[in-house]
DNA sequence: TTGCTTTATGATATTTACATCATAATAAAA
DNA sequence: TTTTATTATGATGTAAATATCATAAAGCAA
């Protein structure tokens, strides 16, 4: 394990983990986050537990409230995966 | 100019722009992307034009098909750069 | 144990994204 | 121009996310 390369999100679970980690790091309850994000506590619970299909904007709201940012970048050519673009 | 730091996404429009840019860069039509992502061309059109409320998983599907990755990170404190974790 | 806080869950109603089709508008070639 | 490829748009039906409430389940202190 080289480092903290775990902000990568490719599934609803990844999102949930990232959000929960950030919230806990800031010692916010789901309810406190709900208040400052406008997303309901019940919804936050589901998202943190990886419920699928969450709307982008809900994630944006939570990220904003948690001082998180979302970046979209080219996938860095990984180690063992050998998938080639036959462009 | 240090680098291309414009993959930041905080609105549906940002997502749309990133996706369209990547698709064009790879010279794919919306239909071609639709085929390889499982997302319909009509839906791709709307997303690229910033339609709100898109489901996370739809974005994931498109990113996967375009070799893009989504990262969630702490918002880097701007200019005055003494940020402390009072852990 | 009790009591308090936090998180999860169940139900309902509204809203909306997406699939799907058809097609219109636009762009690009020919 | 005409033809073809691409993108956008409009309509419909279904599936599902979220707001909202009520409450159950966990967790944690006293």
């Amino acid at each position: 394990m080289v480092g903290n390369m775990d902000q990568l999100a490719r599934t609803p679970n990844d999102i949930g983990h990232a959000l929960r980690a950030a919230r806990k790091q800031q010692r916010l309850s789901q309810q406190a986050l709900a208040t400052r994000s406008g997303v309901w506590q019940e919804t936050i619970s589901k998202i943190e537990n990886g419920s699928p299909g969450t709307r982008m904007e809900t994630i944006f709201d939570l990220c904003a409230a948690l001082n998180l940012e979302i970046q979209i970048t080219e996938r860095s050519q990984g180690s063992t995966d050998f998938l080639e673009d036959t462009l």
Side-chain angles (χ1 to χ4, degrees), chain A residues 2-84:
Chain A
V2 170
N4 163 26
M5 58 142 281
D6 223 86
Q7 331 81 331
L8 224 150
R10 28 172 62 128
T11 68
N13 246 299
D14 295 340
I15 301 269
H17 281 136
L19 290 176
R20 172 163 287 173
R23 179 177 63 80
K24 293 235 154 171
Q25 208 172 288
Q26 297 176 42
R27 289 180 196 77
L28 296 171
S29 67
Q30 290 180 350
Q31 183 53 59
L33 177 57
T35 299
R36 56 166 80 175
S37 67
V39 179
W40 283 69
Q41 178 267 317
E42 296 86 338
T43 301
I44 294 174
S45 171
K46 284 167 195 158
I47 292 171
E48 287 187 353
N49 286 308
S51 101
T54 305
R55 287 189 290 120
M56 257 176 21
E57 283 180 308
T58 303
I59 303 301
F60 285 146
D61 290 344
L62 293 172
C63 284
L66 287 169
N67 272 290
L68 298 176
E69 62 182 26
I70 296 181
Q71 294 184 247
I72 303 186
T73 60
E74 275 182 37
R75 196 162 67 195
S76 41
Q77 282 303 61
S79 40
T80 34
D81 292 293
F82 51 104
L83 63 155
E84 239 107 88

